[in-house]
Amino acid sequence: MYRVMCFVLCLASVLLASDVITSPIKAVANESTATVVPLVATSASIEEQVFSAINHFREEQHLSPLSMAKDLSSVARFHSQDMATRSYFDHISPDGNTMRKRVLGFGITNWNRLAENIAMNYGHNDPATVAVRGWLNSPAHRQNILDQDLTETGIGVAVDAKGRIYLTQLFARRK
C-alpha cells in the first residue's frame, strides 16, 4: 500500500510539474460520513468540475460567468499543494505567506481586487460537488462566488498522502 501511495504521489508531482494537472473562512467536509474516494479523479478533472459548477451557479443567479485564468490557477495549485505537503489548512501559510503575497510572488500585479476560497475534504466520491456545496453554504465563500466585480478565476487541487483533497479557488478583477 505504501508503494502504491508513493507511486501515485510521484505520478501526481510529475503531472503537476509537466502542467498536465492543470474573507478568511474555511470549508471542511464532514469526514465521519464519508465514503472512500477512488484515486481515479484527477486534479485536473476536479478543477474543471469546480469551474463548471461555479459558473453554472453564477448563471442561475443572472451573473456573467468567470473566465479561467491560467496564471491564477498556477497560484491556486501552489497553495493547495503547499497545504497538502505541509499538512495545514488556512489562507495563510505557516511562514506567513498570504493570498496577496502568493499572487505577487507569481508576478501577477495587474489586479484591482482578489478573493480566495479554500476547502479540504476526504473520502467523497465527488470532491468538487462537496467543495462547491460547502462554499455555497458559507456566507463569506458565497459572497466571493456571487461578487459581480470579480471576473476571473483560477482553481488548484492537490491530494496529500492521506488522500485529503485540498482545493483553492482564486478570484480576481484585473486593472
Side-chain angles (χ1 to χ4, degrees):
M1 181 66 176
Y2 178 74
R3 288 182 184 170
V4 171
M5 194 60 118
C6 287
F7 172 76
V8 170
L9 290 174
C10 289
L11 179 60
S13 297
V14 168
L15 291 174
L16 184 62
S18 64
D19 222 14
V20 171
I21 296 180
T22 58
S23 235
I25 302 291
K26 304 172 202 169
V28 180
N30 181 354
E31 294 184 23
S32 63
T33 61
T35 57
V36 176
V37 66
L39 289 176
V40 295
T42 66
S43 295
S45 70
I46 296 168
E47 292 170 5
E48 291 170 12
Q49 291 167 22
V50 169
F51 179 67
S52 177
I54 295 295
N55 273 336
H56 179 74
F57 182 76
R58 282 177 61 97
E59 289 171 355
E60 287 179 341
Q61 306 305 310
H62 308 289
L63 296 171
S64 298
L66 298 166
S67 61
M68 180 61 75
K70 289 183 179 184
D71 56 351
L72 294 176
S73 289
S74 294
V75 179
R77 286 183 193 116
F78 171 82
H79 187 54
S80 290
Q81 187 61 56
D82 189 48
M83 289 189 293
T85 301
R86 299 201 289 169
S87 297
Y88 72 95
F89 180 63
D90 205 323
H91 291 276
I92 301 172
S93 71
D95 53 353
N97 204 2
T98 65
M99 169 189 58
R100 284 180 170 77
K101 286 181 183 177
R102 287 189 298 276
V103 170
L104 291 171
F106 273 71
I108 305 168
T109 60
N110 61 334
W111 49 268
N112 288 327
R113 192 159 178 194
L114 292 172
E116 179 178 75
N117 287 350
I118 60 173
M120 186 269 292
N121 64 57
Y122 175 76
H124 295 279
N125 290 325
D126 189 352
T129 298
V130 170
V132 172
R133 188 178 305 132
W135 290 335
L136 292 175
N137 288 327
S138 161
H141 288 110
R142 186 182 182 95
Q143 182 178 350
N144 288 341
I145 292 167
L146 293 176
D147 190 332
Q148 65 185 351
D149 292 330
L150 296 168
T151 58
E152 295 181 58
T153 191
I155 302 163
V157 172
V159 182
D160 74 6
K162 295 179 181 177
R164 291 179 294 213
I165 299 172
Y166 293 83
L167 300 96
T168 302
Q169 182 172 22
L170 289 172
F171 301 86
R173 178 172 189 91
R174 306 284 177 147
K175 291 180 184 178

